Amino acid sequence: MTTSDEFKQAPHKLLVIPGPVEVSDEVLFANAHPTVSHTSADFIKVFGDSIRMTREVLFTKDAQPFLISGSGTLGWDQVAANLVEPGEEALVLNSGYFGDSFADCLQTYGAKVDQVRADLGASVSQSEIEKALKAKKYKIVTFTHVDTSTGVLSDAKTIAETVKRVSPDSLLVVDAVCSVGSEEIRFDDWGLDVVLTASQKGLSTPPGLSIVVVSQRAIKAFESRSVPVTSYYGGWNRWLPIMRNYENGSPSYFATPPVNLVHSYHASLLQITKAAPSLEERFKLHREASQRIKAAATELGLKQIPLDPAYAANGMTTLYFPEGLGAADILPRFAQHGLVIAGGLLAGIKEKYFRIGHMGVTVVDSRRNDVDEIIEALRKSINEAKS
Amino acid sequence: MTTSDEFKQAPHKLLVIPGPVEVSDEVLFANAHPTVSHTSADFIKVFGDSIRMTREVLFTKDAQPFLISGSGTLGWDQVAANLVEPGEEALVLNSGYFGDSFADCLQTYGAKVDQVRADLGASVSQSEIEKALKAKKYKIVTFTHVDTSTGVLSDAKTIAETVKRVSPDSLLVVDAVCSVGSEEIRFDDWGLDVVLTASQKGLSTPPGLSIVVVSQRAIKAFESRSVPVTSYYGGWNRWLPIMRNYENGSPSYFATPPVNLVHSYHASLLQITKAAPSLEERFKLHREASQRIKAAATELGLKQIPLDPAYAANGMTTLYFPEGLGAADILPRFAQHGLVIAGGLLAGIKEKYFRIGHMGVTVVDSRRNDVDEIIEALRKSINEAKS
């Protein structure tokens, strides 16, 4: 048999797109754990511990995690189908591509959606949020913590304060797909109602797990719905007993969980919550790496999409191509230097910029030297393309 | 780095529940492939080839596969949300637990559902199907090819003939979660419209991939809907361009695909479609293994749930406990002999029977000797429990 110590993943280009990201050998090895019964005692413990450690990552005592086989996108369906009844009002604070899509998802399930759109590179201001909340009563308010298309970081803590003050009954939903693990999130202290994320970004696990954490207040809102849930696979009426049973040590069946990926996620959570560096230290390492990469880009004369450094993500960087250059000039050069980065995503400007992810093990495990490699490849690629 | 030849999964109890099942070292190793970008050329090829090989497994030339991160259950949502408009009629041919649940899913999305329920251990008769189809016009007709709760195999070919003859406009949907790879399915020859399955049963891959294959006729029905699709994550309007683009060699984004699991599924499909034994030979091996296991059970005086051997699944066996014995007497004995089997699932009788899965590599790779192990453990466990 191959042991965890022996297992070394194949050499490959460094994956520094804004997700999926690099996965450590240990976490990848756990994805190749012998496939187990979803009702076995061993798996129940792994699943229950994964639920508990998910709470730790978000600093919440009693919020309810849902760990469901699916892409991060499925988190939107869960919010739209469980928390918003057809015809109810939702406010989307839009800072990019993922705001558009979340709004689209909410409408699919019958929500009435208003959007406040930030200018490109900005997040929605507190005064605009306040104005919107005073004009209408919303069942839910959503924002994208880090919009993966723009690299804009919204100020979750201040948004939460504004919503609590102006519209305390609104449920606050954070699309944190590109921020959990890389940006500080204090679920209980900030009074959040939903944080939705996925396994393949700051949590450094392969993709395929939708992770949604829900406050007890939001669970109550869900439980007092007047019409049935409008999704079957995404219905918390199906999943709530499953999550509670597994956490309490009993098996329970609705749909077969992705047992291998749960082992992998569990291995990553052990590294994140039980090993050094601490969560606080992790956020600091993300901030430091981000500052170094962004400073190197500025030195090269590159412009970021985020207009204000305070609203730039710490787990990724979006950079406009130098004048006259495009993806075909830059991305292959990164590849030649051994790095996979990503092109643009936001309609209208997608040809004009590129994206680098710096999340999870790439930032946290200093033995890897990934951040140095990113900076070196950035310098070389830009200088070569310009010359 | 660890190579595919070197990688050997850890020793473990033989997983012979009716899914998830044993996964070969090669397929498990592929699940630990370095995590890649979902838009990389390498991954696009792996994904495109997986789509093409999925067609081969079902003997279809032009049906459209959807490979989406999720449990098998998500296949029901896809059918309910894309093919049935709210208020349209659906007929569910019910041979166990999974018929009940599919009906429930259809209703969640607004279908009007009629059910024809088979007696316990039987599948719905052709005359009952004919009678139901003559009484009302149905948009879709669904049946469970192998109901994992009862082990009842429905005669897919004959059902398809009956539906085509009596109600040719109805779309025929086969829940084949527990039959693809272990039972013969001729998609084009039989004129099926949807076959939905998952990765973790006859396809011998870890769980986490919803696999749905749709006829061009059903795609047309979907494209001529009069109201929008009622799911976001499960919406074929989102996924159809993605699947077509990947198959044609272009990347495309809706939600991050489970890249590691797709590598794993691809490795399994290579074994199934490109290596010996052939698909026909695989079905024969499943029939032979099933007959041997069922004969051993009969010799031990055990009664199966399926009333007629012609309607017993070839990839699993359901057996009533001997008089006076229950799960606590039998399952731990199997575990002592190194096997993980499953208890009952169908409400009303779940305490009275157990289930053994014999699908995929367990049956097909004769070097493993798994079938002999199952028979030996069955004999020992029953004899010990009785004595």
Side-chain angles (χ1 to χ4, degrees):
Chain A
M1 64 171 274
T2 308
T3 64
S4 179
D5 285 346
E6 285 163 8
F7 179 80
K8 301 282 171 259
Q9 61 188 299
H12 59 279
K13 290 196 175 70
L14 190 67
L15 186 64
V16 285
I17 62 176
V21 300
E22 285 288 314
V23 175
S24 72
D25 288 338
E26 295 81 358
V27 173
L28 215 43
F29 180 73
N31 211 33
H33 188 283
T35 299
V36 297
S37 167
H38 47 298
T39 60
S40 66
D42 286 353
F43 181 72
I44 293 167
K45 173 145 181 25
V46 166
F47 199 81
D49 285 346
S50 299
I51 291 173
R52 285 180 279 270
M53 287 190 283
T54 299
R55 277 199 199 94
E56 287 183 48
V57 172
L58 292 173
F59 301 96
T60 176
K61 271 192 186 144
D62 69 349
Q64 177 62 54
F66 292 88
L67 309 179
I68 302 179
S69 179
S71 301
T73 300
L74 180 64
W76 295 338
D77 286 69
Q78 289 182 56
V79 169
N82 292 292
L83 287 185
V84 192
E85 303 188 35
E88 286 186 335
E89 305 278 351
L91 177 66
V92 173
L93 309 176
N94 186 324
S95 54
Y97 176 96
F98 292 88
D100 294 342
S101 302
F102 199 167
D104 200 355
C105 178
L106 287 161
Q107 282 161 342
T108 298
Y109 289 95
K112 289 187 186 163
V113 178
D114 290 332
Q115 295 196 56
V116 183
R117 283 174 187 279
D119 292 335
L120 176 64
S123 66
V124 179
S125 71
Q126 303 306 317
S127 64
E128 287 172 300
I129 298 172
E130 187 157 347
K131 195 176 137 200
L133 291 175
K134 281 178 174 162
K136 200 187 271 184
K137 197 173 164 121
Y138 293 99
K139 176 72 172 287
I140 68 165
V141 178
T142 82
F143 68 97
T144 317
H145 196 189
V146 169
D147 195 291
T148 318
S149 74
T150 57
V152 168
L153 171 71
S154 288
D155 180 349
K157 187 184 176 189
T158 309
I159 292 175
E161 283 167 4
T162 303
V163 174
K164 303 266 145 247
R165 179 168 48 79
V166 185
S167 181
D169 291 341
S170 299
L171 299 171
L172 183 56
V173 176
V174 190
D175 177 343
V177 169
C178 197
S179 69
V180 170
S182 57
E183 308 285 350
E184 185 176 34
I185 302 177
R186 300 267 172 184
F187 195 100
D188 289 353
D189 288 353
W190 299 351
L192 308 179
D193 288 300
V194 178
V195 166
L196 64 92
T197 191
S199 47
Q200 78 275 11
K201 305 211 180 195
L203 295 168
S204 284
T205 306
L209 197 63
S210 160
I211 301 158
V212 179
V213 180
V214 184
S215 71
Q216 290 303 326
R217 182 172 89 128
I219 292 287
K220 279 199 192 76
F222 157 71
E223 285 174 335
S224 57
R225 283 178 68 95
S226 56
V227 300
V229 172
T230 52
S231 166
Y232 183 77
Y233 184 64
W236 291 343
N237 50 334
R238 317 280 168 190
W239 287 110
L240 194 53
I242 308 292
M243 297 300 147
R244 286 174 175 163
N245 285 341
Y246 271 83
E247 190 168 3
N248 292 329
S250 322
S252 190
Y253 180 74
F254 168 57
T256 305
V259 290
N260 287 67
L261 187 57
V262 171
H263 269 105
S264 185
Y265 178 52
H266 181 264
S268 188
L269 286 171
L270 283 177
Q271 294 182 343
I272 294 172
T273 64
K274 310 291 183 225
S278 70
L279 269 163
E280 281 84 355
E281 183 69 16
R282 282 177 171 261
F283 301 138
K284 188 162 161 265
L285 288 167
H286 279 87
R287 286 193 299 270
E288 287 171 0
S290 179
Q291 281 161 14
R292 286 183 56 208
I293 292 164
K294 287 173 173 68
T298 304
E299 239 174 63
L300 288 162
L302 299 176
K303 235 185 84 187
Q304 297 175 49
I305 292 186
L307 302 169
D308 179 340
Y311 297 99
N314 293 298
M316 66 176 292
T317 299
T318 51
L319 297 167
Y320 288 104
F321 293 117
E323 192 64 33
L325 297 176
D329 305 299
I330 305 291
L331 270 60
R333 290 185 202 270
F334 271 95
Q336 279 163 23
H337 298 300
L339 272 69
V340 180
I341 64 162
L345 182 61
L346 191 68
I349 60 162
K350 63 186 284 192
E351 315 296 338
K352 297 187 179 164
Y353 71 105
F354 63 102
R355 300 176 295 155
I356 302 174
H358 30 87
M359 281 174 273
V361 285
T362 273
V363 166
V364 169
D365 184 351
S366 58
R367 296 165 304 180
R368 298 174 57 105
N369 259 350
D370 289 358
V371 177
D372 292 341
E373 271 191 54
I374 291 171
I375 291 172
E376 200 183 319
L378 176 66
R379 286 194 181 127
K380 285 187 183 163
S381 300
I382 297 296
N383 287 331
E384 286 162 12
K386 279 181 172 173
S387 67
Chain B
M1 64 171 275
T2 308
T3 65
S4 179
D5 284 347
E6 285 164 7
F7 179 80
K8 300 281 170 259
Q9 61 187 300
H12 58 278
K13 289 196 175 71
L14 189 69
L15 186 63
V16 285
I17 62 177
V21 301
E22 284 289 314
V23 175
S24 72
D25 288 338
E26 294 82 357
V27 174
L28 215 43
F29 180 72
N31 211 35
H33 189 284
T35 299
V36 297
S37 166
H38 48 299
T39 62
S40 66
D42 287 354
F43 181 72
I44 292 167
K45 173 143 180 31
V46 166
F47 199 81
D49 285 347
S50 299
I51 291 173
R52 285 180 279 271
M53 288 191 282
T54 299
R55 278 200 198 93
E56 287 182 47
V57 172
L58 292 173
F59 301 96
T60 176
K61 271 190 188 146
D62 69 348
Q64 177 62 56
F66 292 88
L67 310 180
I68 304 180
S69 179
S71 300
T73 300
L74 180 64
W76 295 338
D77 286 69
Q78 289 183 57
V79 168
N82 292 291
L83 287 183
V84 191
E85 303 188 35
E88 287 186 334
E89 305 279 350
L91 177 66
V92 173
L93 309 176
N94 187 323
S95 54
Y97 176 95
F98 291 89
D100 294 342
S101 302
F102 200 167
D104 200 355
C105 177
L106 287 161
Q107 283 162 341
T108 298
Y109 289 95
K112 288 186 185 163
V113 178
D114 289 332
Q115 295 197 55
V116 183
R117 284 174 186 278
D119 291 337
L120 176 63
S123 67
V124 179
S125 72
Q126 303 304 318
S127 63
E128 286 172 300
I129 298 172
E130 188 157 345
K131 194 175 140 201
L133 292 175
K134 282 180 173 161
K136 200 187 274 187
K137 199 173 163 122
Y138 292 99
K139 176 73 172 287
I140 68 165
V141 178
T142 81
F143 69 96
T144 316
H145 196 189
V146 169
D147 196 291
T148 317
S149 74
T150 57
V152 168
L153 170 71
S154 289
D155 180 349
K157 188 184 176 190
T158 308
I159 292 174
E161 283 167 4
T162 303
V163 173
K164 303 266 147 246
R165 180 168 48 80
V166 184
S167 181
D169 291 341
S170 299
L171 298 171
L172 183 56
V173 175
V174 189
D175 177 344
V177 170
C178 197
S179 69
V180 171
S182 57
E183 309 285 351
E184 185 176 32
I185 302 178
R186 299 267 173 184
F187 195 99
D188 289 354
D189 288 354
W190 299 351
L192 307 178
D193 289 300
V194 178
V195 165
L196 64 92
T197 189
S199 48
Q200 77 276 11
K201 305 212 179 192
L203 296 168
S204 286
T205 306
L209 198 62
S210 160
I211 300 158
V212 179
V213 180
V214 184
S215 72
Q216 290 303 326
R217 183 171 87 128
I219 292 288
K220 279 200 192 76
F222 157 71
E223 285 173 337
S224 58
R225 285 177 66 98
S226 55
V227 301
V229 172
T230 50
S231 166
Y232 184 78
Y233 184 64
W236 291 343
N237 50 334
R238 317 280 168 192
W239 287 111
L240 194 53
I242 308 293
M243 297 300 147
R244 286 175 174 162
N245 286 343
Y246 270 84
E247 189 167 3
N248 292 328
S250 322
S252 191
Y253 180 73
F254 168 57
T256 305
V259 291
N260 287 67
L261 187 57
V262 171
H263 269 105
S264 185
Y265 178 52
H266 181 264
S268 188
L269 285 172
L270 283 176
Q271 294 183 343
I272 293 172
T273 65
K274 309 293 183 226
S278 69
L279 268 164
E280 281 84 356
E281 183 69 16
R282 283 177 172 261
F283 300 138
K284 188 163 161 262
L285 288 168
H286 278 88
R287 286 193 298 272
E288 287 171 0
S290 180
Q291 280 160 16
R292 286 182 56 206
I293 292 164
K294 287 173 172 66
T298 304
E299 238 174 65
L300 288 162
L302 299 176
K303 235 183 84 187
Q304 295 174 49
I305 292 185
L307 301 169
D308 178 339
Y311 297 100
N314 293 298
M316 65 176 292
T317 298
T318 50
L319 298 167
Y320 289 104
F321 292 117
E323 192 65 34
L325 297 177
D329 305 299
I330 304 292
L331 270 61
R333 289 186 203 270
F334 270 93
Q336 280 163 23
H337 297 301
L339 273 69
V340 180
I341 64 162
L345 182 62
L346 190 69
I349 61 162
K350 65 185 285 190
E351 315 296 338
K352 295 187 179 164
Y353 71 105
F354 63 102
R355 299 176 296 156
I356 302 174
H358 31 85
M359 281 174 273
V361 287
T362 275
V363 165
V364 169
D365 184 349
S366 58
R367 295 165 305 180
R368 298 174 57 105
N369 260 348
D370 289 359
V371 178
D372 291 341
E373 272 191 54
I374 292 171
I375 291 170
E376 200 182 319
L378 175 65
R379 284 193 181 127
K380 284 186 183 164
S381 301
I382 297 297
N383 286 331
E384 287 162 11
K386 278 180 171 174
S387 66

